[in-house]
Amino acid sequence: GNSVTQMEGPVTLSEEAFLTINCTYTATGYPSLFWYVQYPGEGLQLLLKATKADDKGSNKGFEATYRKETTSFHLEKGSVQVSDSAVYFCALNPNSGGYQKVTFGTGTKLQVIP
Amino acid sequence: EAGVAQSPRYKIIEKRQSVAFWCNPISGHATLYWYQQILGQGPKLLIQFQNNGVVDDSQLPKDRFSAERLKGVDSTLKIQPAKLEDSAVYLCASRLMTGSGYTFGSGTRLTVV
């Protein structure tokens, strides 16, 4: 079946540090890949997405590139801010036709300290 | 556009009581989802509706959970009777079309004591 594996958190960084949160997936075919962010006490918000191999999704300074050869979709940001503190979820949509069920990773908590 | 609306935001009940959650998706979004998110875990799909029909309820504990979407718009999720392990955030999400991202509501935090 489909699965998403994320690095365990929490990830603690100082402000302006470089961020990488690893995400790898298992799926047949050509899934769409997503990163969602969840701020404390809120629901999940779509951060960025990529729908085919080598696509780069980007939003709010965050980027992730769809790497089919390594089945990865790592999230990166060049300079994090305290306001980026949240839980980040990697997810995939199988796009395999018929009924499609999105699979979420377990989430990675990011803490950014001033 | 207005987001996905959920109510209530918080609910505390005793075990064996019943509770209901409400969700109003984004206008025009045919697909609606209910997720359960236990603290420290990713969202787990409980049920998916396409318009007012159920597409997937394979992970819904049907002995105690029920959900409906009568007119293909808003939806309710009910738990009766609640157990301690039902303590979680219940998230509603909607999607415009296959392949697009979900829009989530802020969730209902349920505490069963």
Side-chain angles (χ1 to χ4, degrees), chain B residues 11-25:
Chain B
K11 191 74 176 179
I12 301 174
I13 61 172
E14 295 182 351
K15 59 184 179 183
R16 292 186 290 273
Q17 287 188 322
S18 62
V19 64
F21 313 128
W22 174 82
C23 172
N24 191 5

Side-chain angles (χ1 to χ4, degrees), chain A residues 25 27-33 50-53 66 68 92-96:
Chain A
Y25 68 90
T28 56
Y30 303 92
S32 295
L33 301 173
T51 58
K52 61 182 187 294
Y66 189 143
K68 189 161 179 64
L92 72 82
N93 181 352
N95 288 338
S96 56

